[in-house]
Amino acid sequence: MREQKQALLRQLYMPAVLCTALWGSAAPCVKKGYALFAIAAGDSFSQLVFAGWRFTLAGLLVLLVAKGMGHRIVPVRSEWKPILWISLFQSMLQYVCYYIGLSATTGTKGSVLSGTQTFFALLFAHLFLANDKLNRRKTLGCLCGFAGVLVLGLGGLHGFQLRGDGLVLLSAASAGAGALVSRIFTPGRDPMLLTGWQLLLGGLLLGGIGAAGDGRLGAVSLPGALLLAYMVMLSAAAFTIWTALLGRFPVGKVTLFGFLIPVFGTLFSALVLGEQIFTLRNLAALALVSGGIAVANYVNEGKSSAKQA
């Protein structure tokens, strides 16, 4: 029994926590990147250029990793449609809203609001998938999560700003829609191939829109280049590890760790950006959103085993 627990710690718990820590660091790193690359808060096109570099390089890195693992990386004709649909929601729409919105809000609020993508995914699945309806547990999780948004919006951290908080919330809705699209198109296809290409195409489009609007990186320095390299790595590494975990363990056991993403995001916002996070409103919102994610993704192993028997 002890050996099984130690194996589970090494093979599931530690890698899953690492993934959530990497994803949680994204919001404060984006805001730090704006400062290092001298991108003004109102310069939306330059923000999209920054996003374009990150996701184009991340897509290439995922494809290189996939190639090294023996995966096919050249899509066949039938795979282009799923790649384009997934890229539309998970790279293009999501990150247009996210990168512009994050420039007008704090890393703390961005991290907590981004966590609501889990609840949007559940709502969209309920509306569009006949075999994945909301039950009492999922409904409770959604109610907790959106209650956390209300707590943040009612005057917390300078109130709810449509250009900042509203766009980040819209990006979470797009990510939830992207999760639904992925569930429809991914079965039977290589998820690494799909993700590598959707990141690459999304990054090229984001960068292209930014460049067309005369966006540019205002300053290029070694710290900025290192930060961008870290952000490229975190996208590629977290996805690769998460995909491996989903292929080895029950989905519910893996996705349960998603509640840690806004927690790490909040902590990194304090460390990297120096934000004041220890207020009653911030902590209440974080607890509601993270708790909602945990409740919504909780799997009763006893019932699960009974169903499989």
Side-chain angles (χ1 to χ4, degrees):
M1 178 67 77
R2 184 177 180 181
E3 291 180 357
Q4 289 180 345
K5 289 183 177 180
Q6 291 178 341
L8 203 60
L9 177 67
R10 293 192 305 271
Q11 297 170 12
L12 173 60
Y13 298 162
M14 292 176 67
V17 171
L18 173 62
C19 282
T20 59
L22 289 171
W23 278 321
S25 69
C29 282
V30 169
K31 291 189 70 66
K32 188 67 174 179
Y34 291 160
L36 291 175
F37 286 104
I39 298 173
D43 190 354
S44 299
F45 289 112
S46 294
Q47 291 156 13
L48 294 183
V49 167
F50 182 38
W53 276 107
R54 175 191 173 188
F55 293 110
T56 298
L57 294 173
L60 289 172
L61 185 54
V62 169
L63 292 174
L64 287 173
V65 171
K67 181 68 173 177
M69 294 171 65
H71 293 244
R72 175 175 55 84
I73 63 170
V74 178
V76 298
R77 184 174 180 179
S78 63
E79 290 170 330
W80 282 111
K81 180 180 178 180
I83 287 171
L84 291 172
W85 274 107
I86 296 171
S87 185
L88 173 64
F89 288 102
Q90 289 197 329
S91 290
M92 301 175 191
L93 294 177
Q94 178 185 354
Y95 287 112
V96 164
C97 296
Y98 185 76
Y99 269 69
I100 295 174
L102 201 57
S103 68
T105 189
T106 64
T108 300
K109 291 185 76 173
S111 299
V112 174
L113 292 172
S114 293
T116 60
Q117 64 182 266
T118 294
F119 313 121
F120 283 113
L122 292 173
L123 292 174
F124 290 140
H126 175 78
L127 292 173
F128 297 106
L129 298 179
N131 62 345
D132 195 356
K133 298 299 183 182
L134 289 172
N135 53 27
R136 280 184 291 184
R137 173 178 51 78
K138 292 179 181 179
T139 301
L140 177 60
C142 289
L143 290 174
C144 287
F146 288 118
V149 174
L150 286 176
V151 168
L152 274 184
L154 296 176
L157 291 174
H158 313 298
F160 191 90
Q161 304 294 325
L162 287 178
R163 186 182 183 278
D165 308 324
L167 282 176
V168 173
L169 198 59
L170 190 58
S171 81
S174 181
L180 173 66
V181 172
S182 294
R183 288 184 58 183
I184 294 172
F185 286 117
T186 299
R189 297 184 172 94
D190 186 343
M192 293 194 73
L193 180 145
L194 295 181
T195 298
W197 277 99
Q198 68 95 356
L199 285 171
L200 176 59
L201 294 180
L204 289 172
L205 181 68
L206 292 170
I209 293 173
D214 200 29
R216 60 186 182 275
L217 302 181
V220 179
S221 62
L222 180 59
L226 291 174
L227 178 70
L228 180 59
Y230 168 74
M231 294 177 70
V232 169
M233 181 277 298
L234 82 84
S235 297
F239 169 75
T240 303
I241 297 170
W242 199 258
T243 301
L245 293 177
L246 289 172
R248 186 169 185 179
F249 297 97
V251 173
K253 276 191 173 183
V254 179
T255 57
L256 178 62
F257 287 89
F259 82 93
L260 289 172
I261 296 175
V263 174
F264 279 119
T266 300
L267 292 175
F268 281 121
S269 293
L271 293 173
V272 176
L273 304 174
E275 293 181 1
Q276 174 55 256
I277 62 173
F278 296 107
T279 68
L280 180 60
R281 193 184 301 274
N282 293 358
L283 296 176
L286 179 62
L288 285 167
V289 172
S290 297
I293 294 172
V295 169
N297 286 294
Y298 176 75
V299 175
N300 188 314
E301 294 187 20
K303 288 185 178 180
S304 180
S305 300
K307 288 180 181 178
Q308 294 174 356

